[in-house]
Amino acid sequence: MITNATGVTLVCLGPSSGFEVRSVLRRRPAAGEIEVAVAAASVNPIDVRRAQGYGRRLLSLVGAGRFPMVLGNDFAGTVTALGDNVDAFKIGDRVYGVKPPSTEGAHASHVLVKAAHVLPARAGQDLQALAALPYSFVTMWLAVRGAGLTRQNAAGRRVLVHGAAGGLGTLALQMMSAWGASVTAIARPPDFAACQEAGALEVVDSSSKPFATLSRTFDATLNFATWDDDLALMGVLRDGALGHATAVHPLLANFDELGWVRGVLKTLSDKRRHRAALPKNARYAWTVFKPETPALQELRELVEQQRVGLPIAIQESLAGAAQAFDHVKKGRRGRALILPG
C-alpha cells in the first residue's frame, strides 16, 4: 500500500444507476506496473455501452463484468510510482497509454497500468490530446491487421473505410494515408471535408446507397459503422483481395442476449455466413480490443510524426462525467475527456 495515499475514482453503479465519485486508498504498483496521476482520460463508445450492461456475460471471464466498476481504457498523465522491474520510466515522466478491460479503469485520479502498455510523452506534447488516442488507435490497428494490411504491404492498396468520420475511421484514414494506401471513405456529407483532411482520396455519401456506386476493386475493407452493412462491404472486394475486418460485430451481444450455448452457436453461424461471402483466400476478422505492443509502437511513431490526432469536443471533471458520457451516447462530434484534476 502507498502509505496514507488516497485518490478518487468515478464509479459506475450499474445500468440506470448513474455514477458516484469515491475516495479510495491507492495501492502500490505490482512488479512491471507503474502508477500514473491521470491528467485526462477518454470516454469511448464502449464505456457508454458497458455502463448500460453491454458485454457483461463475456467480459466476466476476464473479471470485467461486475458492477460497480470504474470504466475507461485510455489516459495520459504523470508517473507517480514504480513497481519492481520497471526501468523504462521514472517518477515525474509524462506518459500516455491504455488498459485492458477491467473494473479498475482509467476514470480516476490515479491508475495502475503495466509499463508495457504505456508510452512516453515528449515535453510540450498535449496530454489531453494524447489521452484521446490509445484505445481507438489500438482497436483500429487490430482491425487493419485483421484485414491483412501492414505498413509493409499497404502502399498502393485500395482500402475502403466505412464509418470514416468516427474515431476509429479518422485514425484509419490518417494511418493508411501515412502508409501510402489509396483510401476511400464512406461518411455523411457534413463530414466529407474532415475525411479528406484525414487522408481520404475519395468520399462516398453514406446516406445514398453507397455500395451501389462502388465496384469490386478494393484490396481491403474496414467496417467501423454498422453490422448491417458488413456483407455489402465484402461485396466490393476484388478477386485476390487481402481481406475484411469489422469492429461492429455482434460477439458480445450474442452472449448477452442468448447465453453461453446459444451465444456460441449464433457467433459461429454469423462468422461462417460472412466468411462465405469473401473472395477466395481473403481474410476475415472480428476486432476485439486488447493492448498490443506493435500497435502502441506504431501509435508512438505516428504521434511523433504528427500524423494522427482526434478533435476534442468536451472536457469534464469526474463530478461532471455524466455530461461526457451523454455527449458520446448521443453520437456528437469530437472526443469526450474526463479531467480528474
Side-chain angles (χ1 to χ4, degrees):
M1 202 79 71
I2 300 175
T3 306
N4 299 323
T6 60
V8 290
T9 62
L10 177 72
V11 178
C12 180
L13 300 173
S16 305
S17 298
F19 301 94
E20 181 178 287
V21 178
R22 293 181 182 176
S23 178
V24 295
L25 201 61
R26 287 154 53 195
R27 294 185 285 109
R28 177 180 175 81
E33 288 185 334
I34 63 174
E35 182 192 62
V36 177
V38 178
S42 289
V43 178
N44 290 289
I46 189 63
D47 297 315
V48 173
R49 300 188 72 185
R50 286 185 65 200
Q52 299 168 336
Y54 174 73
R56 289 184 66 187
R57 192 183 300 272
L58 203 56
L59 289 174
S60 67
L61 297 178
V62 293
R66 180 178 298 178
F67 290 105
M69 65 177 69
V70 179
L71 296 164
N73 293 99
D74 44 8
F75 61 88
T78 305
V79 177
T80 48
L82 305 172
D84 294 337
N85 304 321
V86 174
D87 53 19
F89 300 102
K90 63 181 184 301
I91 292 174
D93 282 351
R94 303 167 81 249
V95 297
Y96 61 111
V98 68
K99 285 178 64 83
S102 72
T103 56
E104 297 183 351
H107 296 165
S109 63
H110 296 79
V111 62
L112 292 176
V113 59
K114 290 183 178 180
H117 299 161
V118 177
L119 299 169
R122 288 189 292 102
Q125 286 183 313
D126 184 348
L127 290 179
Q128 294 178 17
L130 294 175
L133 297 175
Y135 175 84
S136 292
F137 186 91
V138 170
T139 305
M140 176 278 297
W141 185 94
L142 289 168
V144 167
R145 185 183 66 176
L149 289 159
T150 67
R151 175 182 279 271
Q152 290 71 36
N153 73 5
R157 300 281 189 178
R158 293 204 69 202
V159 181
L160 179 64
V161 179
H162 191 20
L168 300 180
T170 298
L171 291 169
L173 297 181
Q174 292 169 343
M175 187 177 77
M176 289 287 93
S177 62
W179 285 1
S182 174
V183 189
T184 297
I186 300 178
R188 299 175 302 168
D191 298 318
F192 281 11
C195 289
Q196 290 166 336
E197 184 178 351
L201 297 181
E202 178 186 11
V203 187
V204 178
D205 187 350
S206 63
S207 61
S208 59
K209 298 182 179 179
F211 303 105
T213 67
L214 297 169
S215 57
R216 297 183 63 232
T217 58
F218 290 93
D219 296 291
T221 48
L222 300 168
N223 187 5
F224 303 132
T226 171
W227 173 246
D228 293 340
D229 288 339
D230 213 56
L231 288 171
L233 273 167
M234 288 185 282
V236 300
L237 288 170
R238 67 173 179 83
D239 291 338
L242 292 173
H244 169 81
T246 177
V248 287
H249 51 77
L251 175 65
L252 295 180
N254 283 346
F255 286 89
D256 285 343
E257 296 166 8
L258 301 174
W260 292 111
V261 175
R262 291 174 61 205
V264 168
L265 294 175
K266 182 65 163 58
T267 297
L268 292 174
S269 174
D270 288 338
K271 280 193 169 183
R272 189 179 302 113
R273 176 166 54 94
H274 282 235
R275 279 201 185 103
L278 287 167
K280 186 177 180 181
N281 297 325
R283 299 177 58 169
Y284 180 63
W286 286 12
T287 302
V288 178
F289 166 78
K290 61 178 180 178
E292 286 271 356
T293 297
L296 290 168
Q297 291 171 342
E298 184 69 36
L299 172 60
R300 180 181 181 182
E301 182 171 343
L302 292 172
V303 164
E304 294 296 322
Q305 296 171 356
Q306 299 183 344
R307 298 298 298 264
V308 293
L310 293 172
I312 296 170
I314 184 173
Q315 304 171 9
E316 294 287 348
S317 66
L318 288 175
Q323 284 70 44
F325 272 75
D326 189 61
H327 175 89
V328 177
K329 182 178 180 179
K330 291 179 177 177
R332 292 174 177 160
R333 294 181 184 178
R335 307 291 291 169
L337 297 182
I338 292 175
L339 312 182

